[in-house]
Structures are given as structure tokens and as C-alpha cells.
Amino acid sequence: MAPLTDFYQLTMAYGHWRAGRHRVPAAAELFFRRGPFGGAFALGAGLAEGLRCLRAFRFSAADVAYLRSVLPSTTEDAFFDYLATLDASEVTVSAVPEGSVIFARVGRARYPPLLWRGCGTVGSHVPGEDGDVTAWLSPQVPFLQVKGPLLVVQLLETMLLCLVNYASLVATNAARFRLLAGPHVKLMEIGLRRAQGPDGALSASKYSYIGGFDCTSNVLAGKLYGIPVRGTIAHSFIMSFTSLEEVQPRELLPLAGGEPVDLLALAKLLLQRVCELLQTPPEKTNRGELAAFVSYAITFPHDFQGLLDTYCVRRSGLPNFCAVALALHQLGYRAIGVRLDSGDLAQQSKEIRRVLRACGAHFQVPWFETIPIAVSNDISEQSLEEFSRELVEVNGSPCMKLTEDEEKMTIPGTKTIYRLYDAAGHPFMDLIALEDEPSPSTGQELAIRVLGRLGETSKVVPTTVEPLHRTYFRDGQVCEPLPSLPEVRSHAQVSLSLLSPAHRRLHEPQPYPVAVTERLHNLLTELQQASQ
């Protein structure tokens, strides 16, 4: 995986090697400067993939031969010999557990990238007392921290950003959909046919699941990752039927046993009664659609879902579905739902619910009133929010004025980061401390400086203190057990559930404060004064 990098990383690596700086100890970290999609938080994802690639980080003989062909001819042979010996055995990686909430400055950028800051990639750095290079790091809380020889840390930048950036954006986007939909609405990822190739499709399925989606249409993702797979029928299946004569077989065994029943004949009889109830002419219903519904119901009597908008929802799709679903009911089965894929989804859903309730009452089938209605086709945050608002009465959250804080800032030293929780169990602040400072204690008053208000000292008393980062990689090996995908997904949902409403809301969230200890603030002040 070592060649998964940008070419300029190799030219810089050669520069470090020529200058004799390639083994200088270095540190770098990945963080969001601004919250994705204008929110206050991101979900950290992609850690497991990054660790797997770290373990396999090395240049093969073929890799080195290729690099010889693309680097300038003046590149010394000894540099290529050095590359052939490289691995990640001297690299240490600490990170928040995958699926954890990471806070960033509230921003307007739709897809802000994860950024990489460290002594090997940024001009702002100072030598430590022992001659080592000390990284200057962003005030945002990092998802991942990397320490090791400068040249190796430099080469890891592109690979780690590639593996973590997209994963975190997809997981965060999925989490925002989950927060909008609420805990009980089922969310299904069906982006395979529009994805950026097979790798992008698999990543989207995996990290959407971590962010809170319930299932995927991607069969390969289900096989590889154990994600539940779902799907019923598409418009092409319905349009392939043109007449009732195409239904073969026509009979279905009742769930309780007994003689097979002609489901098509039963559905045709019930269609007349449904059309009378709905005051819809039976001749306006599409017979090919009815044939498709009956054929699918006979094949999957336990999983019948009607796709209603191939033709006309009101005059054809809905009556045909109700007729087949009622026929299944007489044989002891239940339809699992209906789906809409076009038009005004919210308005049509309300009309469909009205019809389902009317049929349930008229035919004395109580479960008909609660048949799930699924919607698809370009569902965005805005359309989902509008859809939810029209279907469910929800009081809007009040907007809060945003405070200003530093756009960019560097903070010196190797640090430890803690998350502070209030008495309600919500995280209310992340605290950055120097690595050798004692850990803050639960119930202990802390003197801190909030970034953006460094001129004043504040005091806080956390009810719970959580160290954010764990060491996952050391001496060339993963040193912390990695959770399974369902465990990461569960952790992500717990992390989201702990957020206070002010930080969780998707529009104009309250900025989440990040603070430094007095000792770290004093160090920052000394270095600023020394640089003047």
C-alpha cells in the first residue's frame, strides 16, 4: 500500500533524505477544521482500514523499480535502496474509537476535507530542546494522531487521508439522515448504481451503515461486511408484464395449509370492491401492473411490497396493491409495505395512508392502517426534513446566534485530549492538555481557556471525564482490538445520542467549545511572545 500516495510526497521524502532529516521524530494529526455539511460534528470513520494499510506499508521490488522510472534521473540509488527497507514499525497511531463524534468549528462548506497538520507538512514548527521537531497542531480535536520518523509520517499522509476522509464524510452524512428521520424510521442505502465505482460503492454501504442506516441494496457489501440486504422490485419488473395471462403459476398455498388458491382470481374479485370503495373505474387500472403484483406476491408471499408509481398511483398502483394485499391477507399473509419513487412524496404518502386506513376499516383488516410507506429517488436532507415535517407535527428548535472563534490556530506540544460531560450525560467541552499533565478528575474544578476567548480564564466542573484517544498501532502492529462493524455502528449511535440538542441539531448548531489547560495556554503565550 506504500505507493498509494501523491507523487510530491516522494519528492519531499527525497528532500528530507538528502538533508539527513528523514529520521527526525515527527508528529501529525487528522482533523476537520469545519464540521461537514454545516454541522457542529463529524463521525470519525475509516480507522480500521487505515490500520490495515499501515500494517502492510512497504515498497515492493516492483514498486521501487517503478519509482526509479518516474523520479528524476538525478535521484541517488541509495535513496531507492532506503525505500526498499521502509515499513511502519516505528510509527505510533492514536485515535478516537471509530464511530466517535468529533467536533469542529461550525462552517458553511458542504464537503470540508479532513486536514493533515504536522511538522512534516506545515511550515510552522519549532525545534524542541532535545533537537527533535515538535508538531504544531490545530485547535480542532483530531480524529487520529501519527508519530514516527519524519519521512515515513510524510509518506503516510495521503494514504490515511484517502482512507479516512471519504469514510468520515459518508458516516457523518448518514448520521445526519438518521437524526432527521428519528430512531424508528428505516433507512436503506441504494446508491450502488450511482457510486464512484465498486470501491466507492462498498465504502458508501459500509460507512452509511456505521452512520445509522439499517440496510443496503448492495449484495457484495452484505456478503463482505454482514450488513442486512433488502430490496423488492423495480419499475422494469412491473413493465415487463403486459397482461394477466402472463401470471404463472397463479395458485398459492394458504399459510395455515390446505388446498392452493388461485390468487389472481381472488385479487381480481377484490379489485372490483376496492375500486368501488375508492370510486375509481376498474378499467383504469393497469392489468400488466396487477399481473406483476400477483406474480411477485405468489413468489414472495411473506415479503410483498408494492411499487405504486410505475403508472398512476391513485388510479392503478394503489388499487392494484390493495387488491393483492387483501388477497394475501385472506390466505394468512401480510404485505410488508408500499414504495413511492417519484412525484410529491409527502403529499402522495398522506393520500396513500388515507386510502390504506379506509381499506383497513372497510374490509376489517386492522394492520392495513399501519402498512409502511417507503420513499426513494434523490432523497436529500432538505427533502427528508420537508417530508418529515409534513407527515409528523414537530416543534422546530429555536435558532441560536453563533459565536466567532479562530479560523486558524496552531498549538504547540504533544497533547492529550479529554471529553468533559455534564450532569445530564452530555459532552459539553473537549479539553486539550500537555501530554505530561495529570488527568483531570471527575468533580474537580478546572481552570481552562476556551479557544476564541483565550484572554479570560473559565472554570468548569465535569461530572465525567473521558480520555479521547487510544493507541491503536505501535511497533508495526495493531495493538488494540478492533471492534466489529456492528459494534462500531452501535458506538456511533450511542455517541450521537449523548449529544445535547444544541450540538446535535443540523441547522445552525451551537458551536462546541474546545479549551486548553492553563499550562498549555502559558506555553502558547511564551512561544507567541518569543516569536515577536
Side-chain angles (χ1 to χ4, degrees), residues 416-427:
T416 302
I417 301 168
Y418 303 93
R419 181 154 292 167
L420 311 183
Y421 292 81
D422 60 23
H426 301 308

Side-chain angles (χ1 to χ4, degrees), residues 416 418 431 433-442 444 446 465 467 517:
T416 302
Y418 303 93
L431 178 65
L434 289 169
E435 190 173 47
D436 59 354
E437 288 191 74
S439 301
S441 301
T442 297
Q444 168 191 331
L446 303 173
V465 177
T517 61

Side-chain angles (χ1 to χ4, degrees), residues 367-410:
W367 60 265
F368 234 72
E369 299 183 11
T370 58
I371 289 177
I373 301 172
V375 295
S376 56
N377 188 26
D378 293 331
I379 303 298
S380 64
E381 280 189 21
Q382 180 180 356
S383 63
L384 179 59
E385 188 172 26
E386 291 172 352
F387 182 75
S388 301
R389 188 186 304 124
E390 288 197 39
L391 296 182
V392 184
E393 292 184 2
V394 179
N395 291 325
S397 300
C399 296
M400 298 188 68
K401 183 178 180 180
L402 301 180
T403 61
E404 294 293 325
D405 64 350
E406 290 91 344
E407 172 67 21
K408 297 180 180 179
M409 187 174 183
T410 55

Side-chain angles (χ1 to χ4, degrees), residues 43-269:
L43 274 189
L47 175 62
E49 289 292 331
L51 296 175
R52 276 191 282 271
C53 289
L54 275 174
R55 195 164 48 190
F57 179 83
R58 58 186 54 84
F59 290 99
S60 68
D63 295 334
V64 174
Y66 172 72
L67 295 179
R68 283 181 183 274
S69 73
V70 295
L71 281 167
S73 58
T74 54
T75 307
E76 297 177 37
D77 288 342
F79 176 65
F80 297 108
D81 296 337
Y82 179 71
L83 289 182
T85 68
L86 278 186
D87 58 26
S89 60
E90 296 181 79
V91 171
T92 300
V93 173
S94 60
V96 299
E98 188 161 9
S100 295
V101 168
I102 309 165
F103 293 100
R105 188 178 190 271
V106 176
R108 295 182 180 178
R110 188 177 182 190
Y111 303 119
L114 271 164
L115 301 177
W116 175 276
R117 290 291 181 266
C119 62
T121 57
V122 190
S124 298
H125 62 273
V126 294
E129 293 181 359
D130 56 358
D132 295 346
V133 176
T134 302
W136 284 66
L137 306 177
S138 159
Q140 278 71 27
V141 173
F143 171 41
L144 183 148
Q145 297 174 318
V146 184
K147 297 178 183 178
L150 174 58
L151 186 146
V152 178
V153 172
Q154 177 79 65
L155 289 176
L156 291 175
E157 174 186 359
T158 297
M159 181 186 76
L160 290 174
L161 284 172
C162 172
L163 294 171
V164 172
N165 226 328
Y166 179 67
S168 297
L169 285 172
V170 172
T172 303
N173 192 41
R176 292 170 64 87
F177 271 72
R178 170 51 63 201
L179 292 174
L180 274 173
H184 304 301
V185 173
K186 297 294 183 183
L187 295 175
M188 178 179 176
E189 181 271 319
I190 52 176
L192 175 58
R193 61 185 62 194
R194 298 187 182 184
Q196 290 76 29
D199 291 340
L202 288 171
S203 295
S205 299
K206 179 179 182 179
Y207 296 114
S208 292
Y209 185 66
I210 285 177
F213 275 52
D214 298 285
C215 52
T216 179
S217 67
N218 189 333
V219 176
L220 184 55
K223 175 188 174 185
L224 294 176
Y225 308 132
I227 302 171
V229 291
R230 296 289 185 272
T232 51
I233 57 177
H235 295 294
S236 58
F237 180 87
I238 296 173
M239 294 172 68
S240 70
F241 289 82
T242 58
S243 69
L244 298 178
E245 286 70 31
E246 295 174 85
V247 178
Q248 294 294 334
R250 297 166 53 124
E251 296 181 331
L252 177 65
L253 287 172
L255 184 61
E259 293 298 317
V261 174
D262 188 328
L263 189 68
L264 177 58
L266 181 57
K268 288 170 64 178
L269 290 173

Side-chain angles (χ1 to χ4, degrees), residues 316-343:
S316 183
L318 195 49
N320 280 332
F321 167 79
C322 289
V324 177
L326 288 168
L328 283 175
H329 171 72
Q330 290 195 15
L331 301 186
Y333 301 97
R334 281 194 181 191
I336 64 170
V338 297
R339 179 162 73 93
L340 285 170
D341 194 50
S342 62

Side-chain angles (χ1 to χ4, degrees), residues 1-65:
M1 293 299 293
L4 183 63
T5 190
D6 290 304
F7 186 70
Y8 70 80
Q9 303 286 17
L10 288 157
T11 59
M12 289 190 290
Y14 183 52
H16 288 315
W17 183 84
R18 282 292 307 273
R21 304 176 65 247
H22 53 290
R23 291 194 53 78
V24 171
E29 56 189 32
L30 283 75
F31 64 93
F32 279 101
R33 175 171 291 144
R34 289 177 176 267
F37 314 106
F41 69 88
L43 274 189
L47 175 62
E49 289 292 331
L51 296 175
R52 276 191 282 271
C53 289
L54 275 174
R55 195 164 48 190
F57 179 83
R58 58 186 54 84
F59 290 99
S60 68
D63 295 334
V64 174

